[in-house]
């Protein structure tokens, strides 16, 4: 039997909310939950959706916040101090109540937001790749100006920056770092 459209819409919306949660994204991207961090995120979404399914209209934002915070600590070793778990819990409860009433406007807004975010990321990745291709030359064009037939004093740059002094190495083999004067 197919799932109710309201539940499907809530699952989709919850997925968008979790995938836009900065703390959870960092935990997944940085593998704070280990190599299977993405699977843990998906499991977390399933746990929360099931909790909503079982508790129906008796939902409390604080209970959802506690569940989110506990999963972040247990699975991702992350203590949230930014109140984001409360904001995510509140958003999930509001989304749930809208979906129960058949109002999918928030799910559509989240879908569009996710699509635009995906487009921005793909464009920026394409731009980075284009920049890499352009800048992959060896830089030979920049340093060849001094070798165009000028000789003697004409090719010397008198007003240029002073040459860097040789690094000072002490008897233990460590380099002494000297600070520049502030202008």
């Amino acid at each position: 039997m197919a799932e109710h459209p309201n539940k499907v819409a809530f699952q989709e919306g919850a997925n968008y909310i979790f995938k836009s949660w900065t703390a959870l994204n960092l935990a997944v991207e940085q593998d704070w939950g280990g190599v299977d961090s993405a699977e843990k995120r998906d499991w977390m979404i399933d746990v929360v959706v099931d909790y909503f399914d079982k508790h129906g209209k008796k939902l409390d934002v604080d209970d959802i916040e506690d569940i989110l915070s506990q999963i972040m600590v247990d699975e991702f070793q992350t203590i949230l101090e930014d109140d984001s778990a409360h904001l995510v819990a509140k958003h999930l409860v509001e989304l749930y109540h809208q979906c129960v009433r058949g109002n999918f406007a928030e799910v559509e807004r989240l879908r569009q937001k996710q699509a635009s975010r995906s487009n921005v990321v793909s464009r920026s990745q394409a731009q980075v790749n284009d920049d890499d291709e352009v800048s992959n030359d060896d830089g030979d064009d920049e340093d060849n100006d001094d070798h165009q037939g000028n000789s003697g004093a004409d090719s010397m740059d008198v007003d240029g920056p002073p040459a860097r002094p040789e690094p000072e190495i002490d008897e233990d083999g460590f380099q002494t770092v000297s600070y520049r004067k502030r202008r």
Side-chain angles (χ1 to χ4, degrees), residues 3 52-54 90 92 100 136 139-140 170:
E3 292 189 33
F52 275 87
D53 200 26
K54 290 177 185 166
K90 184 177 175 184
L92 286 167
V100 165
N136 277 343
D140 291 339
D170 64 9

Side-chain angles (χ1 to χ4, degrees), residues 135-144:
S135 66
N136 277 343
D137 62 40
D138 293 335
D140 291 339
D141 297 341
E142 297 172 9
D143 295 332
N144 288 339

Side-chain angles (χ1 to χ4, degrees), residues 63-143:
D63 291 341
I64 304 298
E65 178 184 2
D66 291 342
I67 291 169
L68 297 176
S69 296
Q70 191 63 48
I71 291 174
M72 290 298 288
V73 168
D74 291 347
E75 300 299 328
F76 298 101
Q77 292 74 43
T78 304
I79 298 172
L80 301 170
E81 297 178 347
D82 62 352
D83 205 32
S84 63
H86 179 77
L87 297 173
V88 169
K90 184 177 175 184
H91 196 179
L92 286 167
V93 170
E94 291 170 358
L95 177 71
Y96 179 79
H97 289 303
Q98 289 175 8
C99 288
V100 165
R101 286 185 246 120
N103 179 359
F104 305 134
E106 180 65 9
V107 175
E108 183 58 35
R109 186 188 73 77
L110 291 168
R111 183 182 301 127
Q112 290 173 354
K113 183 178 174 183
Q114 184 70 27
S116 68
R117 184 178 293 141
S118 296
N119 288 339
V120 168
V121 168
S122 64
R123 278 190 302 228
S124 67
Q125 287 176 347
Q127 184 178 4
V128 166
N129 289 340
D130 290 346
D131 290 347
D132 286 347
E133 289 173 10
V134 169
S135 66
N136 277 343
D137 62 40
D138 293 335
D140 291 339
D141 297 341
E142 297 172 9
D143 295 332

